[in-house]
Amino acid sequence: MSVVTELGYLGLGVRDLAAWKTFAANVLGLEVVPDDNPGRCRLRMDYWYQRFILTESGSDDLDFIGWRVANAQALDETQRRLRDAGIAYEVATDEQCEQRQVLGMIRLQDPAGVLTEVFYGPRVETGNPFYPGRRMHGSFLTGDRGLGHVVLEVPDPERSERFYTQILGMRGSIEYELNRPNGPSGLLYFMSCNPRQHSLAFGHVGSKKRLIHVMTELERIEDVGLARDIVKHQGVPIRIDIGQHHNDHTISFYPVTPSGWIWEYGWGVSPPSGQAEWAKAGIWGHEFVPPAG
Ligand code: FE
């Protein structure tokens, strides 16, 4: 029984917020909502008040991850597990909950040092439907599957696996061995907490950034093709071209974000099988395109 129910939101530190707003709206089709603070904005993809919180900083990397639990009792259970494991955490202040627009939250560092927020009660705005940043055939697929998935570089994958399974209650194991002459290599672990095949993956694969990629899923495959056409038309670099993964069957491609890390734009994610299996390659495609120069 999973404690965490979904990947709720992500905080991203970006160097060029203006470039990010254009990329988020015109390439990804996300809704950009300006903030009173000019160095910040939020991105919507469904009825949630916010799914991505962008803050202008020099990091061009992950700021924090928000993992949702069902309610106050589930947050209490998470705190009990943390205390039993001797892992430090703090209960979020009213001001911190206000910033995230959640009813309750705790904050801690995961074993890789990622600022991890476990929360319940996100603000949703069912009277304010998602307004895509550009034309789309359908919408993003979220619902009980969360915003998508995030993939992280971690120093000690086995330690991270213990944390995400024993404390946050996810399920998963090694599913891929990456072997790329000019890209990341190593074993990748995949973790699930809902009907999405995985909400988190991590490995010690030699990425310079903590954040390897973020994945969002589309309802319709036409939107993956449309986004790829837009990327090609606008000259946005693609790091991994269209293809289909072995483990989650996703058909996707990966354009490069203004922060240098990549965004997986995909369709057709399968549910988790519930038992371990691994592969050395995908089903088709996903050709790695080395950076120019
Ligand atoms: Fe992915």
Side-chain angles (χ1 to χ4, degrees):
M1 185 65 186
S2 209
V3 171
V4 161
T5 57
E6 68 173 282
L7 176 58
Y9 56 78
L10 290 175
L12 305 173
V14 306
R15 193 157 39 185
D16 188 344
L17 187 62
W20 256 100
K21 285 179 176 175
T22 303
F23 179 81
N26 297 356
V27 175
L28 301 176
L30 293 166
E31 179 182 348
V32 177
V33 186
D35 192 278
D36 291 341
N37 177 344
R40 200 179 294 161
C41 76
R42 57 189 164 94
L43 306 177
R44 296 179 78 231
M45 66 192 302
D46 54 14
Y47 287 118
W48 279 42
Y49 178 78
Q50 53 192 1
R51 285 294 197 171
F52 301 93
I53 299 122
L54 271 51
T55 308
E56 201 153 38
S57 74
S59 75
D60 271 337
D61 208 338
L62 182 67
D63 279 346
F64 51 85
I65 302 183
W67 292 108
R68 182 185 191 178
V69 295
N71 46 35
Q73 291 72 32
L75 194 60
D76 288 344
E77 168 63 15
T78 308
Q79 292 180 75
R80 188 190 64 74
R81 290 185 187 192
L82 286 163
R83 282 195 300 271
D84 288 352
I87 298 172
Y89 68 90
E90 59 183 44
V91 177
T93 62
D94 289 349
E95 190 186 348
Q96 289 166 336
C97 289
E98 168 79 17
Q99 276 181 4
R100 300 289 184 261
Q101 294 283 296
V102 298
L103 295 178
M105 176 169 78
I106 59 169
R107 307 174 91 204
L108 64 142
Q109 291 204 329
D110 90 339
V114 173
L115 175 55
T116 299
E117 300 181 344
V118 182
F119 70 93
Y120 77 94
R123 178 179 172 187
V124 294
E125 304 177 294
T126 40
N128 183 25
F130 167 60
Y131 190 97
R134 57 156 170 81
R135 81 179 69 241
M136 290 176 75
H137 293 277
S139 194
F140 289 94
L141 188 53
T142 55
D144 60 359
R145 300 171 173 212
L147 74 80
H149 70 239
V150 61
V151 182
L152 306 176
E153 165 75 29
V154 303
D156 185 344
E158 287 182 28
R159 206 169 145 230
S160 292
E161 182 190 28
R162 283 197 296 276
F163 172 80
Y164 283 102
T165 55
Q166 293 171 16
I167 308 294
L168 295 193
M170 298 188 193
R171 293 181 64 166
S173 76
I174 293 167
E175 291 183 3
Y176 257 105
E177 182 182 334
L178 273 186
N179 279 304
R180 288 209 180 101
N182 298 313
S185 292
L187 297 171
L188 278 177
Y189 293 65
F190 291 76
M191 297 286 137
S192 72
C193 56
N194 59 38
R196 184 181 297 290
Q197 202 271 347
H198 61 277
S199 297
L200 170 71
F202 50 79
H204 185 40
V205 296
S207 167
K208 291 189 186 74
K209 289 183 190 289
R210 173 177 280 165
L211 179 52
I212 296 176
H213 73 253
V214 170
M215 188 269 188
T216 48
E217 182 180 3
L218 286 304
E219 289 175 343
R220 294 180 56 168
I221 195 168
E222 287 89 341
D223 274 316
V224 177
L226 174 60
R228 188 168 173 278
D229 283 353
I230 289 170
V231 160
K232 293 255 177 190
H233 182 71
Q234 297 191 2
V236 174
I238 290 175
R239 184 67 62 244
I240 303 173
D241 210 343
I242 193 96
Q244 188 172 20
H245 289 305
H246 166 85
N247 58 344
D248 63 4
H249 301 160
T250 303
I251 295 175
S252 60
F253 77 106
Y254 299 65
V256 180
T257 71
S259 290
W261 49 268
I262 55 180
W263 193 290
E264 182 178 13
Y265 208 78
W267 171 87
V269 180
S270 64
S273 74
Q275 50 191 350
E277 117 179 355
W278 69 285
K280 290 195 172 197
I283 299 171
W284 57 270
H286 279 151
E287 181 191 2
F288 184 74
V289 185

